[in-house]
Amino acid sequence: MSTTDAGGALIGDPRKTFLGHPRGLVVLFFTEMWERFSFYGMRAMLTLYLIQHFLFGPVEAQGIYAAYGALVYLLPVVGGLIADKYLGSRKAVIIGAVLLVAGHFTMAFEGSGGREFITVGGTEYAIQVEGRNTDRQLYAVTDAGRVPISIAPEGVSVVDVAGQPAGSGAQLATAAAFPATIAADGYTTRIDRDPSGEMTLFLALSLIIVGVGFLKANISTVVGHLYEENDPRRDGGFTLFYVGINLGSVLATGLCSYLGFTYGWAYGFGLAGFGMLLGLATFLLGQSWLEGRGGPPNPEKLAGTKVLGIPLEATFWILGLIAVFPVWLLMQRHEIISTALPWLAGIIFALVVGYTVIKLQGAERARMLVAQVLIFFSVLFWALFEQAGSSLTLFADQSTAMPSWFNAGYTQMFNPGIIVIFGPIFAALWVWLGKRNKEPSTPVKFSFGLMFVGLGFLVLSWAAVTQAGVDFRVPLFFLFLTYFFHTMGELCLSPVGLSMITKLSVDRLVGMMMGVWFLSSSVAHIVAGIIAQATATDTVAGVVTNPQLALDTYSSIFGTIGWTGVGVGVLLLLLSPVLKKGMAGVR
């Protein structure tokens, strides 16, 4: 007869396995695969959706995306603490998954979006956009029909549309009494917002943010609970779990982008919602395979405690829903997040450094300080790397020449696809070098990560100057090459980051340092937003009006941050002997 231990795990019966691992890993693999499917499927379209559908300017859209990313990485700190102290990882994952399902399906209710109008000579015309890919066409809507137009720095001009007879644009303009050309100072534009649609958008993002807060850190914790202490299969289990993450990313960015760009945003977001629903169903139906692992730390206390007459577990469900409201308010004032979070993070980081210097001594102090130095450098890496969802997505849309069957959302497949191929190679490489006592130290790996991410931007900056065509677009290959270098950097830095925290932190402070790690990633998204906003140029109805200026701006900003990444990486490489010594024997 089996019983349970303090964490709810079944003991006494032989454990069943699948391919040599606890069979619960299968449940967590597919749960996380579908959760990442929904998350990355939505992310691949989000910035373009904000600009094309709601007609936010690029600066505003990238500010919203930065605030979203910052909160997505900040709230897991709170969710992890709640799980560790009260709920346990499994119950926290269920709460998070339910909120994520609600959030992703809410994204499918897109409303009417924004509407832009152009006024010429006292007459106002609505502007319509046909298509969502790089070949989008603007139309001025008149009483006599639609007139295809182009808006450039020189002004507005009527154009011919591919597939129509030459001169058809001008003929339509004449029939509709729409001017064939309009000088830059001869027209004005205005945007009508859809307030209810925007409120629904921010509600959806808020549900997703709070859901990720409950789920992100805790599902990885359940993976850890599947293995006993010092189980040699643990690293292999996490490697398989990591493959699930990236498999979900590849599938999502391909399928959701296809539906979103081809049939409409609601279809892409709806598919992401179904992905999350499958993840939730997998987790719930697979509970028996988890064997009670990741249960609450004190099941009796959780079951017997009530708050205002409400059971404690139900209280956290209610608090999760209540938390959506302040997040919803913050997302509508995203500049508050961008202003306040860096100051808060700076104060917390200073307090942690002060505590380390004053309260710790010897090897403990040295290791903690090295961890804090590497966390500081990681902020720059993630600030550059996370351009993927903002400025690099807009670069794909505005300044990249792509085949007709390819769209900007598909470029988000590059990173996870490269990880699936090269992740096992890097893992084997570190083992091979380790056996020969030649594996680079953690600081050296971090420096490689920074240099690779900087090199990726230098490639794109160079291509923008030397390889752009007459339409001011760079061949897709160079954007792929940028993602390749960025992914090489990620493989050098990301897998060792969390391991570094656990190895260098004092045992009693691991939780605090893990919180600082997530907080630094949150701040990195704010910095990433500032960088992305610097690349923005004007759009009308979501279409960039000056392709040459857009390309030149990208080239300048990418060149600056590229050299910054390489330079800081070299600096860290020079500091690595000192940092390695401070690690006091920890590899």
Side-chain angles (χ1 to χ4, degrees):
M1 180 177 181
S2 63
T3 58
T4 61
D5 63 17
L10 295 174
I11 57 175
D13 290 338
R15 300 189 65 193
K16 296 180 180 179
T17 62
F18 181 80
L19 298 178
H21 288 272
R23 63 178 184 170
L25 184 63
V26 176
V27 175
L28 299 177
F29 176 96
F30 284 105
T31 300
E32 182 67 353
M33 186 194 79
W34 287 117
E35 188 275 327
R36 292 291 91 181
F37 181 98
S38 65
F39 183 83
Y40 282 101
M42 188 272 289
R43 193 189 82 153
M45 300 182 291
L46 181 56
T47 302
L48 293 172
Y49 176 62
L50 293 173
I51 292 173
Q52 291 189 29
H53 183 69
F54 286 99
L55 303 186
F56 288 112
V59 171
E60 180 78 359
Q62 292 178 124
I64 293 170
Y65 179 83
Y68 165 76
L71 291 178
V72 156
Y73 277 89
L74 181 62
L75 289 196
V77 178
V78 180
L81 291 173
I82 291 173
D84 289 345
K85 193 168 180 64
Y86 301 105
L87 286 175
S89 302
R90 282 187 295 114
K91 291 181 182 297
V93 167
I94 292 172
I95 295 175
V98 169
L99 291 171
L100 280 165
V101 169
H104 284 297
F105 277 125
T106 303
M107 285 292 297
F109 294 94
E110 57 186 29
S112 61
R115 299 180 63 205
E116 191 148 4
F117 298 85
I118 182 170
T119 300
V120 181
T123 303
E124 186 175 72
Y125 306 89
I127 298 177
Q128 287 185 355
V129 183
E130 193 170 281
R132 299 173 188 85
N133 211 340
T134 55
D135 58 352
R136 297 190 299 279
Q137 176 60 55
L138 295 176
Y139 292 88
V141 181
T142 72
D143 293 337
R146 299 194 311 172
V147 179
I149 61 172
S150 172
I151 301 180
E154 297 79 18
V156 180
S157 57
V158 175
V159 296
D160 292 319
V161 178
Q164 294 185 4
S168 60
Q171 291 166 7
L172 278 171
T174 301
F178 189 88
T181 60
I182 307 166
D185 59 356
Y187 72 95
T188 58
T189 61
R190 71 174 182 89
I191 297 174
D192 267 357
R193 300 289 190 187
D194 173 18
S196 62
E198 289 185 19
M199 295 302 100
T200 303
L201 164 71
F202 291 124
L203 174 62
L205 294 177
S206 301
L207 286 164
I208 292 169
I209 289 166
V210 178
V212 171
F214 275 101
L215 185 143
K216 184 174 176 62
N218 291 312
I219 192 167
S220 298
T221 303
V222 180
V223 176
H225 283 309
L226 291 177
Y227 299 91
E228 308 300 338
E229 189 174 351
N230 298 319
D231 189 329
R233 301 173 298 170
R234 180 185 293 265
D235 285 351
F238 271 101
T239 299
L240 291 172
F241 184 69
Y242 196 58
V243 170
I245 292 174
N246 288 285
L247 181 60
S249 301
V250 172
L251 292 173
T253 49
L255 295 175
C256 292
S257 293
Y258 170 75
L259 289 180
F261 280 82
T262 305
Y263 297 104
W265 302 112
Y267 293 94
F269 291 128
L271 182 61
F274 278 109
M276 190 61 245
L277 187 60
L278 283 172
L280 174 60
T282 300
F283 192 74
L284 292 175
L285 294 174
Q287 288 293 294
S288 63
W289 283 27
L290 296 177
E291 302 171 322
R293 306 276 166 157
N298 193 330
E300 294 79 12
K301 183 178 180 180
L302 179 66
T305 303
K306 291 188 177 182
V307 179
L308 299 176
I310 302 172
L312 187 57
E313 183 177 343
T315 300
F316 282 110
W317 279 90
I318 295 170
L319 290 175
L321 291 172
I322 292 174
V324 172
F325 181 68
V327 174
W328 178 71
L329 293 176
L330 280 174
M331 285 303 298
Q332 295 172 67
R333 300 288 185 272
H334 58 85
E335 63 277 358
I336 296 175
I337 303 171
S338 301
T339 302
L341 186 59
W343 284 100
L344 174 64
I347 293 170
I348 293 174
F349 194 78
L351 290 173
V352 171
V353 172
Y355 179 91
T356 302
V357 172
I358 296 171
K359 296 291 185 178
L360 302 180
Q361 295 180 349
E364 285 188 342
R365 177 197 289 172
R367 289 170 181 162
M368 285 281 285
L369 288 175
V370 170
Q372 289 154 24
V373 169
L374 293 178
I375 287 173
F376 181 80
F377 278 100
S378 76
V379 172
L380 176 61
F381 174 84
W382 292 116
L384 301 188
F385 182 86
E386 288 298 336
Q387 297 301 307
S390 52
S391 67
L392 286 178
T393 296
L394 292 184
F395 182 89
D397 179 61
Q398 298 170 353
S399 302
T400 303
M402 292 185 285
S404 59
W405 52 269
F406 205 83
N407 64 57
Y410 288 163
T411 61
Q412 296 294 300
M413 290 192 294
F414 293 156
N415 170 249
I418 295 168
I419 286 178
V420 170
I421 296 171
F422 284 90
I425 295 174
F426 266 71
L429 175 63
W430 299 141
V431 171
W432 186 82
L433 290 173
K435 289 179 179 179
R436 289 156 179 78
N437 204 30
K438 294 182 179 179
E439 182 181 2
S441 66
T442 297
V444 171
K445 290 179 181 177
F446 268 57
S447 71
F448 288 166
L450 281 162
M451 285 188 277
F452 272 126
V453 77
L455 180 59
F457 281 111
L458 291 179
V459 166
L460 212 52
S461 178
W462 173 81
V465 174
T466 63
Q467 303 297 314
V470 294
D471 58 351
F472 306 107
R473 292 182 179 272
V474 171
L476 179 62
F477 169 76
F478 294 100
L479 184 56
F480 169 80
L481 198 58
T482 293
Y483 276 107
F484 176 82
F485 284 123
H486 284 191
T487 307
M488 296 299 102
E490 181 188 7
L491 289 171
C492 288
L493 185 144
S494 182
V496 302
L498 293 175
S499 175
M500 174 271 295
I501 295 294
T502 60
K503 289 189 296 186
L504 296 180
S505 300
V506 178
D507 287 343
R508 63 185 181 276
L509 300 176
V510 171
M512 178 191 72
M513 289 296 289
M514 198 65 75
V516 174
W517 173 264
F518 277 111
L519 182 60
S520 69
S521 297
S522 182
V523 172
H525 276 77
I526 298 299
V527 179
I530 295 171
I531 294 170
Q533 287 173 329
T535 67
T537 52
D538 291 338
T539 60
V540 171
V543 178
V544 68
T545 59
N546 191 337
Q548 181 176 5
L549 177 61
L551 185 64
D552 291 344
T553 303
Y554 284 125
S555 177
S556 174
I557 300 299
F558 289 168
T560 299
I561 62 177
W563 283 116
T564 301
V566 171
V568 174
V570 171
L571 173 63
L572 181 56
L573 183 63
L574 295 175
L575 292 174
S576 61
V578 177
L579 296 174
K580 183 180 179 180
K581 184 177 180 180
M583 293 170 69
V586 174
R587 291 187 60 84

